[in-house]
Amino acid sequence: EIVLTQSPGTLSLSPGERATLSCRASQSVSSSYLAWYQQKPGQAPRLLIYGASSRATGIPDRFSGSGSGTDFTLTISRLEPEDFAVYYCQQYGRSSWTFGQGTKVEIK
Amino acid sequence: QVHLVQSGAEVRKPGASVKVSCKASGYTFTSYYLHWVRQTPGQGLEWMGIMNPSGGSTSYAQKFQGRVTMTRDTSTSTVYMELSSLRSEDTAVYYCATVIVATPVWGQGTLVTVSS
């Protein structure tokens, strides 16, 4: 099983600042099958990035994904008030999926 | 447009079973595997298993082996996930999901509450 470790656990930032979230895999992940999600309380996860770097439909361009192999990054270039939420990475390249434990982006 | 629409919220007593449905539309149902994922309150996301809608084969996460059964009805493009011997720790939101052209697509989720 591929274990995904996200860091940091919590990121305290102000609106307008840049957020950098990390997702590290225990073994190589096909870049075609690495996704990032945003989740707010009481809501389903919202797909932001798939294939490591492709933005999902309707996702603003302040969200970007990068990385390959075992190290992946989600960057939010300038935080908007609606971006404060929990973010998860996911590998879906194998028959069994795994998720990171999440990074909470909170208002400083 | 691809859609996965799940059945509504359920309440069960400990020891009972629950069956959640997931109806697919907008794509060829038998061409893409269907996964189930759950999220317990305040916790992260947990993969439960996978079904091949074409032949009906399944593979389950070890944690749920013996308690989960995934089935499908190709005539209605619907996949079912049944979880038995429910306990309070199974209170969660259950999601079905698939991947089409390397893009994950999720259902809206079904809340299952286990309470005496």
Side-chain angles (χ1 to χ4, degrees):
Chain A
E1 175 183 301
I2 297 178
V3 177
L4 300 179
T5 303
Q6 291 186 239
S7 61
T10 301
L11 201 49
S12 299
L13 295 169
S14 301
E17 289 193 291
R18 181 184 187 91
T20 303
L21 287 65
S22 173
C23 176
R24 180 161 291 177
S26 61
Q27 52 189 287
S28 185
V29 173
S30 167
S31 295
S32 298
Y33 299 101
L34 191 288
W36 289 93
Y37 296 85
Q38 176 193 72
Q39 189 174 37
K40 298 179 181 179
Q43 297 183 16
R46 175 195 183 197
L47 179 66
L48 300 175
I49 301 288
Y50 65 94
S53 60
S54 297
R55 269 188 302 276
T57 302
I59 301 302
D61 60 9
R62 62 180 182 273
F63 290 93
S64 64
S66 63
S68 64
T70 59
D71 286 291
F72 298 88
T73 301
L74 175 69
T75 302
I76 310 171
S77 60
R78 284 186 345 271
L79 283 164
E80 297 288 340
E82 62 268 28
D83 298 338
F84 292 92
V86 178
Y87 293 82
Y88 294 97
C89 60
Q90 176 206 17
Q91 69 78 22
Y92 56 103
R94 300 189 177 187
S95 58
S96 66
W97 293 354
T98 50
F99 299 87
Q101 81 279 16
T103 290
K104 181 178 182 180
V105 178
E106 65 176 24
I107 299 177
K108 187 175 182 180
Chain B
Q1 194 171 4
V2 176
H3 282 299
L4 297 173
V5 178
Q6 300 182 222
S7 49
E10 304 271 12
V11 179
R12 293 287 186 273
K13 293 190 183 305
S17 297
V18 69
K19 193 170 187 177
V20 179
S21 68
C22 171
K23 183 174 175 59
S25 63
Y27 70 98
T28 303
F29 174 68
T30 52
S31 294
Y32 300 93
Y33 287 56
L34 206 295
H35 298 252
W36 288 90
V37 173
R38 79 175 188 180
Q39 186 170 35
T40 49
Q43 299 300 311
L45 296 153
E46 183 174 34
W47 181 81
M48 298 181 69
I50 182 176
M51 147 160 279
N52 178 354
S54 178
S57 61
T58 56
S59 177
Y60 305 134
Q62 183 138 10
K63 176 175 181 176
F64 301 102
Q65 289 270 5
R67 284 209 303 144
V68 68
T69 304
M70 297 176 187
T71 56
R72 93 290 192 214
D73 181 344
T74 55
S75 69
T76 60
S77 299
T78 302
V79 176
Y80 301 90
M81 187 282 298
E82 183 170 21
L83 190 62
S84 62
S85 303
L86 290 168
R87 35 212 189 226
S88 58
E89 311 89 88
D90 293 317
T91 293
V93 178
Y94 291 79
Y95 298 97
C96 60
T98 190
V99 177
I100 300 190
V101 193
T103 306
V105 178
W106 291 54
Q108 84 277 18
T110 297
L111 174 63
V112 175
T113 303
V114 182
S115 174
S116 54

